[in-house]
Amino acid sequence: MPELPEVETTVRGLTPVLSGQRLTLVEPRRADLRKVIPVDLRQRLTGATVKTLGRRAKYGMIDTDRGDTLIFHLGMSGRWRVDPDEEEKHDHLVIETEGGRRLALNDPRRFGFLDIWRSDSLADYPPFAAMGPEPLGPDFTGLYLDSVLEGRAAPIKAMLLDQRIVAGLGNIYVCEALHVAGIAPSRAAGQIARARLDRLVIAVHDVLLAAIEAGGSTLRDFAHPDGQLGYFSKQFLVYGREGEPCGCGGAVKRRTESGRSTFWCPRCQR
């Protein structure tokens, strides 16, 4: 599933194509993906000019001069194709700009979705309303984690994946950040000292920024809008490396909980 770095990479790839452009065609090719596509999406966006593009957690946002924002989620296999040579079966939304560019949102598994919301009330958009701070934003600090995790017996990994605690973190990058910070994923969140939480915040920042710089991780079907594949997977320290040596001399372990794999090194993560 595309995670925060993949969505950030996608938004950055779409920005030079869409920013400042008037949308001359906005054409959903089906009535629904994971959710029903708003019936007025075409009407509200056709003829609008794109002001800015952004991201909230794992959601991409395209803001227009009409006060409407197109919100997209890539689901398991979604990706935007820019200036495709030909249409594909799973191109479920097609956009054309006054500048002659063409984009297609392609999603073979249809786990993604499209929505539209008023730009001045995005904080009230239901999926956003209960979210915690952005992990790359100024509000995500060791002090914040110390406060919100106080008394919590749940494992730190589960807390980092809870979107109410921090928005947008996914399994891959939580495994990697916990390893960089030297914290066992099973450690009770409320028992981690403030100094270690400070290091964890830095680790989250560093891992996410490195992944964005590398264009994300190519797992299964994800690719950038220009068709290039991310290569951060080549830098994984623990994720997907069960049985391989850790840099500390230990060996990477894996366990599965609720269908999700956790990778860690018992020797250097405590």
Side-chain angles (χ1 to χ4, degrees), residues 179-248:
H179 180 264
V180 171
I183 298 174
S186 59
R187 171 74 61 182
Q191 296 179 5
I192 301 174
R194 167 67 188 281
R196 301 189 76 197
L197 293 176
D198 289 338
R199 291 198 296 272
L200 176 58
V201 167
I202 294 171
V204 169
H205 284 164
D206 290 349
V207 166
L208 290 178
L209 291 175
I212 291 167
E213 179 67 22
S217 307
T218 299
L219 299 176
R220 299 184 179 176
D221 306 306
F222 176 74
H224 305 164
D226 63 4
Q228 297 299 308
L229 303 179
Y231 56 88
F232 186 70
S233 58
K234 299 182 184 301
Q235 302 177 36
F236 285 164
L237 298 174
V238 288
Y239 190 84
R241 297 188 57 216
E242 180 185 12
E244 296 183 28
C246 174
C248 72

Side-chain angles (χ1 to χ4, degrees), residues 252-269:
V252 176
K253 302 292 184 182
R254 178 177 74 91
R255 64 168 175 265
T256 303
E257 301 162 325
S258 302
R260 178 179 283 158
S261 292
T262 296
F263 296 89
W264 85 106
C265 172
R267 180 171 177 177
C268 64
Q269 290 179 247

Side-chain angles (χ1 to χ4, degrees), residues 34-49:
R34 177 157 54 94
K35 295 170 48 178
V36 173
I37 297 173
V39 295
D40 60 348
L41 185 143
R42 182 201 312 255
Q43 178 184 359
R44 290 168 68 176
L45 293 177
T46 302
T49 296

Side-chain angles (χ1 to χ4, degrees), residues 83 104 115 140 180 195-196:
D83 297 327
D115 208 346
F140 182 62
V180 171
R196 301 189 76 197

Side-chain angles (χ1 to χ4, degrees), residues 5 38 70 80 88-89 121 123 132 161 163-164 169 201 247 249:
L70 173 66
W80 286 91
E88 293 186 359
K89 176 181 178 181
S121 61
L161 291 174
Q163 300 298 291
R164 297 167 297 181
L169 290 184
V201 167

Side-chain angles (χ1 to χ4, degrees), residues 8-264:
E8 180 68 26
T9 300
T10 294
V11 167
R12 293 185 183 189
L14 293 176
T15 295
V17 179
L18 286 176
S19 183
Q21 291 292 312
R22 190 171 75 88
L23 307 180
T24 56
L25 174 75
V26 179
E27 184 176 305
R29 295 295 176 83
R30 57 180 298 117
D32 61 357
L33 293 173
R34 177 157 54 94
K35 295 170 48 178
V36 173
I37 297 173
V39 295
D40 60 348
L41 185 143
R42 182 201 312 255
Q43 178 184 359
R44 290 168 68 176
L45 293 177
T46 302
T49 296
V50 175
K51 293 172 60 180
T52 59
L53 290 88
R55 177 194 54 76
R56 177 69 167 121
K58 301 176 189 177
Y59 298 78
M61 302 181 293
I62 302 174
D63 179 34
T64 73
D65 64 348
R66 290 184 179 172
D68 291 320
T69 294
L70 173 66
I71 300 170
F72 64 87
H73 193 285
L74 297 174
M76 296 290 291
S77 60
R79 65 185 180 98
W80 286 91
R81 304 197 304 135
V82 177
D83 297 327
D85 293 331
E86 56 185 24
E87 291 188 14
E88 293 186 359
K89 176 181 178 181
H90 298 293
D91 288 345
H92 302 311
L93 175 72
V94 175
I95 292 176
E96 293 181 358
T97 72
E98 193 171 39
R101 308 300 295 271
R102 184 178 178 88
L103 300 95
L105 179 60
N106 185 279
D107 188 358
R109 300 185 186 185
R110 301 201 301 272
F111 280 108
F113 69 81
L114 292 161
D115 208 346
I116 191 165
W117 199 261
R118 293 298 297 173
S119 306
D120 59 5
S121 61
L122 282 172
D124 299 324
Y125 182 59
F128 297 170
M131 281 184 179
E134 285 285 322
L136 292 175
D139 295 331
F140 182 62
T141 64
L143 177 63
Y144 165 75
L145 282 181
D146 193 41
S147 172
V148 76
L149 298 178
E150 184 178 3
R152 303 295 292 266
I156 183 60
K157 184 189 175 194
M159 290 291 92
L160 293 177
L161 291 174
D162 187 335
Q163 300 298 291
R164 297 167 297 181
I165 302 295
V166 55
L169 290 184
N171 191 48
I172 296 172
Y173 300 106
V174 167
C175 286
E176 290 292 297
L178 286 170
H179 180 264
V180 171
I183 298 174
S186 59
R187 171 74 61 182
Q191 296 179 5
I192 301 174
R194 167 67 188 281
R196 301 189 76 197
L197 293 176
D198 289 338
R199 291 198 296 272
L200 176 58
V201 167
I202 294 171
V204 169
H205 284 164
D206 290 349
V207 166
L208 290 178
L209 291 175
I212 291 167
E213 179 67 22
S217 307
T218 299
L219 299 176
R220 299 184 179 176
D221 306 306
F222 176 74
H224 305 164
D226 63 4
Q228 297 299 308
L229 303 179
Y231 56 88
F232 186 70
S233 58
K234 299 182 184 301
Q235 302 177 36
F236 285 164
L237 298 174
V238 288
Y239 190 84
R241 297 188 57 216
E242 180 185 12
E244 296 183 28
C246 174
C248 72
V252 176
K253 302 292 184 182
R254 178 177 74 91
R255 64 168 175 265
T256 303
E257 301 162 325
S258 302
R260 178 179 283 158
S261 292
T262 296
F263 296 89
W264 85 106

